[in-house]
Amino acid sequence: MENPHERHHRRRLDFTGKSVTGAGSGIGRATALSFAAQGAKVVVADINANGAAAIKEIEITGGTALPVTGDLSDQTVVDKVIATTVDSFGGLDVLVNNAGIMDGPDATGDLDDAVWERSIRINLTAPFLLTRAALPHLLRAGKGAIVNTASATSLRGSVAGTAYTVSKHGIIGLTKATAVQHRDIGVRINAVAPGGVQTNIQIGESEGAVGPAVFAAYQNNIGRLAQADELAATIAFLASDAASDINGVVLPVHNGWSAV
């Protein structure tokens, strides 16, 4: 019988020797730094050179990180992220799907095709592509975790524009469907649903659009903005052995916003 002390030790937030994906800014950067501080080897994937600064910070503290630069809605970049992780670190243990953009808070009638397609491509298709590319490696190992970044918007329809709201609702579907399909194989898939977070994500706004006026009243109860490292800590928990029986869950991380 396993010693309770040994079981407790095994379920700590310890990622020593594990390989994880992260990013170069916002929640993704905080997540990369958090995993690295707990012993993980990190591939920092980012659309621009932000990844270099995150890698330098990881290396200064004795961690290991490698960059992949490019648009994660591009299958070629997705393949490079997974291949770099597997080839350089000997496998993949944790995939964090965090890349995202905000559309303007556009109502459906104000939304043009380009904004819709770009929002869906980055916020939903990119996590799908990465998940599909990562699964063969996780399933072959019979273990691992995927953590998706959904949104408080995933749980309601009144705090953001249509394209963003639809894309983040889709993340819940991706999370739950994938979790059910692979729950008996040792691979877990969960999501965090943050509210307002202090990051550099940009929110556009079309002049005269319906959305801003309608949604503003619902955003008044958002409360304080979370710090990116608060989300990173939750992501690390869901990816860790401490969450070994948590699967298919969408965890709100927004200081009680949905309870108001």
Side-chain angles (χ1 to χ4, degrees), residues 135 176-185:
L135 275 171
K176 292 189 174 184
T178 311
V180 168
Q181 293 157 10
H182 303 299
R183 67 178 183 173
D184 296 324
I185 308 176

Side-chain angles (χ1 to χ4, degrees), residues 66-255:
L66 293 172
V68 174
T69 302
D71 187 333
L72 290 173
S73 68
D74 181 340
Q75 183 69 60
T76 302
V77 177
V78 166
D79 292 341
K80 186 175 181 181
V81 169
I82 301 303
T84 298
T85 307
V86 173
D87 295 345
S88 301
F89 299 146
L92 172 65
D93 297 291
V94 178
L95 171 69
V96 179
N97 284 317
N98 184 68
I101 58 171
M102 292 286 292
D103 60 339
D106 293 327
T108 305
D110 300 319
L111 189 59
D112 65 52
D113 290 354
V115 172
W116 167 268
E117 290 168 3
R118 183 63 176 163
S119 298
I120 298 298
R121 185 74 185 170
I122 295 294
N123 294 346
L124 182 56
T125 302
F128 159 69
L129 294 174
L130 280 158
T131 298
R132 185 176 65 182
L135 275 171
H137 303 281
L138 299 175
L139 296 176
R140 192 176 301 120
K143 61 181 180 179
I146 298 173
V147 183
N148 297 322
T149 301
S151 169
T153 300
S154 304
L155 309 173
R156 55 177 75 192
S158 58
V159 294
T162 295
Y164 185 79
T165 299
V166 171
S167 69
K168 290 301 185 177
H169 273 71
I171 288 293
I172 289 185
L174 177 64
T175 299
K176 292 189 174 184
T178 311
V180 168
Q181 293 157 10
H182 303 299
R183 67 178 183 173
D184 296 324
I185 308 176
V187 177
R188 298 181 300 105
I189 300 92
N190 294 291
V192 293
V197 184
Q198 189 72 49
T199 69
N200 60 356
I201 193 168
Q202 299 296 311
I203 303 174
E205 187 170 309
S206 303
E207 184 177 353
V210 172
V214 174
F215 301 140
Y218 297 101
Q219 294 173 327
N220 290 337
N221 290 324
I222 194 171
R224 73 170 178 87
L225 294 179
Q227 297 301 307
D229 60 0
E230 294 178 288
L231 270 298
T234 307
I235 290 168
F237 165 69
L238 288 175
S240 74
D241 290 339
S244 58
D245 199 37
I246 300 177
N247 195 17
V249 164
V250 180
L251 180 59
V253 188
H254 54 39
N255 193 33

